[in-house]
Amino acid sequence: MQAIILAAGESSRFWPLNQRHKSLIKIMGRPLIWWTLESLRKSGIKDLIIVENPLKEIESELKNYFSGLKIKYVIQKKPLGMGDAIFQAKNLIKDNFFVIHAHHFDINEFVKPMIEKQKKTKAKLILLGKKVDKPWKYGIVELDKKNRDRVIKIVEQPKKERASSNIGLKGIYLLPKDFFQYYRKIKKHIYDFEDTLNLYLKDNDVRIIISEKEIPTLKFPWELFEVTKQLMNKSLKSKIEKSAQIAKNATIKGKVYIGKNTKVFEGAVIKGPCYIGENCLIGNNALIREYTNLENNILIGALAEVTRCIFQEDIHIHSGYFGDSIFGKGCRIGAGTICANVRIDRGEIKSVVKGEKIGTGLDSLGAIIGENTKIGINCSLMPGVLIGSNCIIGPNSVVSASIEDNTTFYTKFEGIKKWRKNT
């Protein structure tokens, strides 16, 4: 059995964390795609084809890891959709094959059931689905009324009032080799993969497995929180490396990993599950808790509180509160900065993606910040704000809306003074 891993897209909806492909975001010291490859290895699939973009970021990153797998790379020159990405691997496919997105670290849980479904039903093509609350956000499947696992139609992101099913596709497919013959017949566009599936099921029996398990998606950056939570629940191991230095009156509770040469100072409290990488420094009386992921070379200053956050490498923060937030590598955050993570009315937090305000489905979400951004002292970041890479946020600023890459932003004192006078 072979598998094609899709890792060539622009990840445009993943801004401001899309400086590289989103599968290269690190969780517990490894990029997400590494966890997916490891999951495939556990399932017995070791013949892999990774579709990447011309920058070859995936290939370059994975050279740093040993996976014990047979991996070949193909290039998708332009982001022309999922169908085109799969088609780039056609000459390497021998027989039936899986297609998955690069963040599916749980693929080993579905390989065996999908293969068994194929053998039992004699259907060549098997899909994976799940009941969803908002079907208009997914590709949905319509099922035969008699055979409730037989697919009769696929609709990509139907209009809200026309959604005829609540079974959404979850990005894992078991395809036959003759899929490519059908793809050649389809008019090419961004959703030609779904068109090919519809053409195929007109001539062939197509079945679906409907999972009861929550299957994480990764279209938007805030979905990293659920991915991190599931990964930690599944793979985090309690360990303190021998070279780590832990103060005698520091408190460590629950499942916590602390990497090499990391220092935890007096009075610090770490409540797991948490991952803390190598060469980190946790300052006096700092509090780290609940599914926080700190990669290598992180400095958490004295009196800071960090909860349910994801920090990439080489980030320095000082005193302040950081809740449900994500920081790209290389950020510097001044003392007294607060990441507000709950609306004052406790409602759903919305954010702006590609110019459109959308609901995140979360009532607790802080800031999401790109790489190498610097934030001055005493700044306030409102719930759900997205801040780009290479930005400078001046001291005492209040950030209540998204800020594009390479922007210098500050709240003018004169503006505050005028507002006070008028009120």
Side-chain angles (χ1 to χ4, degrees), residues 100-114:
I100 65 172
H101 295 285
H103 65 274
H104 277 301
F105 60 87
D106 53 354
I107 179 63
N108 61 308
E109 299 180 34
F110 305 109
V111 165
K112 185 177 180 181
M114 293 178 74

Side-chain angles (χ1 to χ4, degrees), residues 121-137:
T121 63
K122 307 300 182 183
K124 290 183 179 180
L125 199 156
I126 308 295
L127 307 174
L128 179 69
K130 190 182 186 306
K131 292 182 180 179
V132 294
D133 295 330
K134 299 177 180 179
W136 54 91
K137 291 186 175 183

Side-chain angles (χ1 to χ4, degrees), residues 78-96:
K78 296 181 179 180
L80 299 177
M82 186 171 168
D84 179 78
I86 297 169
F87 193 70
Q88 305 311 310
K90 64 185 182 302
N91 294 332
L92 299 175
I93 293 299
K94 304 167 187 174
D95 204 340
N96 297 338

Side-chain angles (χ1 to χ4, degrees), residues 6 8-9 51 76 78-88 183 189-194:
L6 304 175
V51 184
Q76 185 184 27
K78 296 181 179 180
L80 299 177
M82 186 171 168
D84 179 78
I86 297 169
F87 193 70
Q88 305 311 310
Y183 181 75
H189 63 103
I190 197 70
Y191 293 125
D192 55 22
F193 175 72
E194 289 75 15

Side-chain angles (χ1 to χ4, degrees), residues 103-218:
H103 65 274
H104 277 301
F105 60 87
D106 53 354
I107 179 63
N108 61 308
E109 299 180 34
F110 305 109
V111 165
K112 185 177 180 181
M114 293 178 74
I115 291 176
E116 288 178 346
K117 172 70 76 172
Q118 187 182 58
K119 291 179 178 178
K120 181 179 180 180
T121 63
K122 307 300 182 183
K124 290 183 179 180
L125 199 156
I126 308 295
L127 307 174
L128 179 69
K130 190 182 186 306
K131 292 182 180 179
V132 294
D133 295 330
K134 299 177 180 179
W136 54 91
K137 291 186 175 183
Y138 299 84
I140 64 167
V141 297
E142 296 180 7
L143 303 177
D144 184 80
K145 293 182 179 180
K146 293 182 178 180
N147 298 316
R148 297 302 295 170
D149 66 339
R150 184 172 180 270
V151 180
I152 60 173
K153 189 177 182 182
I154 296 168
V155 182
E156 178 61 30
Q157 294 182 332
K159 292 184 177 180
K160 189 174 182 178
E161 64 276 8
R162 295 182 181 178
S164 56
S165 165
N166 67 339
I167 305 298
L169 291 175
K170 301 305 289 187
I172 299 176
Y173 310 86
L174 178 53
L175 302 180
K177 188 176 181 179
D178 63 352
F179 174 86
F180 297 111
Q181 297 177 18
Y182 283 83
Y183 181 75
R184 288 186 174 95
K185 301 176 184 179
I186 291 295
K187 182 179 179 180
K188 303 303 181 284
H189 63 103
I190 197 70
Y191 293 125
D192 55 22
F193 175 72
E194 289 75 15
D195 288 351
T196 307
L197 292 178
N198 276 318
L199 181 61
Y200 193 90
L201 62 82
K202 287 182 180 179
D203 298 337
N204 301 277
D205 189 3
V206 174
R207 301 294 176 119
I208 189 170
I209 288 178
I210 300 174
S211 174
E212 298 295 326
K213 178 184 179 294
E214 190 62 40
I215 304 169
T217 57
L218 201 61

Side-chain angles (χ1 to χ4, degrees), residues 318-321 334-338 377-379:
H318 299 280
S319 61
Y321 175 75
T337 292
I338 302 293
I377 62 169
N378 298 321
C379 289

Side-chain angles (χ1 to χ4, degrees), residues 47-89:
D47 189 350
L48 308 178
I49 303 157
I50 297 177
V51 184
E52 61 178 346
N53 62 39
L55 297 176
K56 298 185 178 181
E57 301 164 315
I58 305 296
E59 187 174 357
S60 176
E61 179 68 30
L62 290 180
K63 286 180 180 179
N64 299 323
Y65 304 97
F66 174 74
S67 59
L69 301 170
K70 178 183 177 183
I71 301 175
K72 294 182 179 178
Y73 296 91
V74 296
I75 303 296
Q76 185 184 27
K77 294 181 180 180
K78 296 181 179 180
L80 299 177
M82 186 171 168
D84 179 78
I86 297 169
F87 193 70
Q88 305 311 310

Side-chain angles (χ1 to χ4, degrees), residues 15 351-353 368 384-388 399-404 409:
W15 182 86
S351 196
V352 176
V353 177
I368 301 177
V385 297
L386 309 180
I387 300 175
V399 181
S400 56
S402 295
I403 296 174
E404 296 297 324
F409 173 92

